[in-house]
Amino acid sequence: MRTPLILAAALFAVAAPTVAQMPGAPDKARVTAGNYTVDTAHTQVAWQVNHMGFTMLDGLFGATGGMATIDPKNPAASKVSIDFNVADSLTVTSPQFANHLKSKDFFDVATYPTAKFVSTRIQPMGDHWMMTGNLTIKDQTKPVQLTVRFMGAGENPMNKKKNIGFTATGSIKRSDFGLGMAAPVVSDKVDLTINAAFVAA
């Protein structure tokens, strides 16, 4: 008798399209100019703080919307905005910790359920872009600089649409956004890694 795992794998093999290789590739020639929407299922922000000098502590936010206007011939004219529902998408490994982060001590999601990033400037720098933008958390808007690297582009065989993806890194001070509880015992600096996926509109 087949196990449920084997049956599930067999069903997926039947349902999924046959793909000889990864459809996305880091080939800038594949990038098509136009408007894209955020792929909310595959866009996430990973954050990391130093917890009392004992451990590095990680968490995630998922995107709930946004868009990008991409112009491969003039990258500086490109624009990006990404929305986050902190109340719903905040993910950590402990339910108690998640509830504390959502409380008035930190994000106060009952009052400020969402966050947003909007780019204001993009500077091509050879193999990467420097993206400056405004990050809004708890109605506090501060400039943030991100190092952006192109991940890949191509046609997604599942939805037959053009896809494009980037990875961005940067850091912020959480106290700038009213999230400074326990600093500096828990580091004020927060390191960010953003994996952003977009689908042609």
Side-chain angles (χ1 to χ4, degrees):
M1 182 177 179
R2 292 187 175 184
T3 65
L5 184 60
I6 293 173
L7 287 171
L11 287 171
F12 179 79
V14 171
T18 301
V19 180
Q21 61 185 15
M22 286 188 180
D27 179 359
K28 293 179 181 179
R30 291 184 170 205
V31 178
T32 302
N35 295 320
Y36 293 76
T37 58
V38 171
D39 178 352
T40 58
H42 301 102
T43 297
Q44 57 187 208
V45 176
W47 53 264
Q48 185 178 76
V49 295
N50 185 318
H51 186 251
M52 300 186 179
F54 299 130
T55 59
M56 300 306 294
L57 187 62
D58 297 334
L60 288 173
F61 293 107
T64 52
M67 57 76 63
T69 300
I70 305 294
D71 184 352
K73 293 183 179 180
N74 184 15
S78 299
K79 298 178 181 179
V80 176
S81 67
I82 303 180
D83 302 315
F84 304 91
N85 189 316
V86 178
D88 293 337
S89 72
L90 186 153
T91 302
V92 290
T93 53
S94 163
Q96 293 82 6
F97 183 39
N99 288 336
H100 190 201
L101 289 175
K102 292 179 182 182
S103 74
K104 289 185 177 182
D105 288 341
F106 290 100
F107 287 98
D108 189 9
V109 299
T111 306
Y112 309 104
T114 61
K116 187 178 186 72
F117 173 81
V118 179
S119 69
T120 56
R121 186 183 184 191
I122 294 175
Q123 298 171 275
M125 306 285 287
D127 67 344
H128 66 280
W129 295 352
M130 294 305 299
M131 179 184 291
T132 303
N134 290 324
L135 177 63
T136 301
I137 302 174
K138 294 179 71 174
D139 279 355
Q140 302 293 314
T141 300
K142 302 290 182 180
V144 174
Q145 190 169 70
L146 301 171
T147 300
V148 181
R149 297 186 186 277
F150 172 55
M151 179 69 182
E155 182 179 285
N156 186 327
M158 304 299 288
N159 58 22
K160 306 300 182 184
K161 292 185 177 182
K162 297 280 188 180
N163 279 224
I164 186 170
F166 301 89
T167 296
T169 55
S171 62
I172 61 173
K173 284 188 175 182
R174 57 191 178 91
S175 58
D176 285 345
F177 300 93
L179 302 168
M181 181 181 180
V185 176
V186 176
S187 64
D188 193 16
K189 180 188 175 188
V190 181
D191 292 321
L192 304 174
T193 300
I194 302 112
N195 293 305
F198 298 90
V199 181

